[in-house]
Amino acid sequence: MDCIFCKIVDGSIPSNKVYEDDSVLAFTDLSPQAPVHVLIIPKQHITSANDITSENSAVIAHIFEVAAVLARQLGIDRDGYRIVNNCGDKAGQSVKHMHFHMLGGRDFTWPPG
Ligand code: 5GP
Ligand code: ZN
């Protein structure tokens, strides 16, 4: 499949990994939007949040366990951070392999743009 994030998972596209286990990978975003900007992805190809099912949802729970560990490791747990999933074109999802942005190290506005 022609998917950038599947290629990052299989190593054919390099990335700056900050966390990896059997089912989840986290790496720094190529175009950071905050002092801390990490992408947390399931290794299996799930196209978007629309495709979360009872069959694959365990990895989503695991991603949030990893996020809590990463927040501490990256030193953003106390000040706060934002986890974002863009689903579909209107939300600006440019890579069609579901991912969670973890952003920290600055203030964020609400509502998001
Ligand atoms: P989306 O717009 O789909 O929510 O987020 C996709 C994110 O992936 C963007 O923030 C973009 O900078 C990042 N990105 C796209 N291609 C690559 C890549 O090859 N390597 C890394 N590390 N990040 C990428
Ligand atoms: Zn993929």
Side-chain angles (χ1 to χ4, degrees), residues 27-33 37-39 101:
F27 52 95
T28 56
D29 197 291
L30 200 59
S31 176
Q33 303 301 312
H37 188 171
V38 165
L39 300 173
H101 299 257

Side-chain angles (χ1 to χ4, degrees), residues 9-108:
V9 169
D10 75 19
S12 58
I13 292 178
S15 67
N16 181 28
K17 293 177 188 177
V18 296
Y19 177 88
E20 181 169 21
D21 65 25
D22 287 348
S23 60
V24 170
L25 179 65
F27 52 95
T28 56
D29 197 291
L30 200 59
S31 176
Q33 303 301 312
V36 174
H37 188 171
V38 165
L39 300 173
I40 311 174
I41 72 170
K43 286 188 167 179
Q44 68 184 112
H45 183 92
I46 299 172
T47 302
S48 82
N50 283 334
D51 302 294
I52 298 169
T53 67
S54 57
E55 304 294 307
N56 63 23
S57 61
V59 74
I60 309 301
H62 185 49
I63 281 172
F64 279 84
E65 288 177 41
V66 168
V69 171
L70 274 177
R72 287 192 287 277
Q73 280 179 8
L74 297 168
I76 56 175
D77 57 317
R78 285 170 173 269
D79 283 347
Y81 53 91
R82 187 167 285 177
I83 296 176
V84 174
N85 170 255
N86 296 320
C87 177
D89 292 336
K90 283 230 179 206
Q93 184 183 0
S94 60
V95 176
K96 301 316 196 229
H97 179 133
M98 190 188 60
H99 50 279
F100 294 90
H101 299 257
M102 174 176 255
L103 299 140
R106 67 169 171 85
D107 292 331
F108 296 96

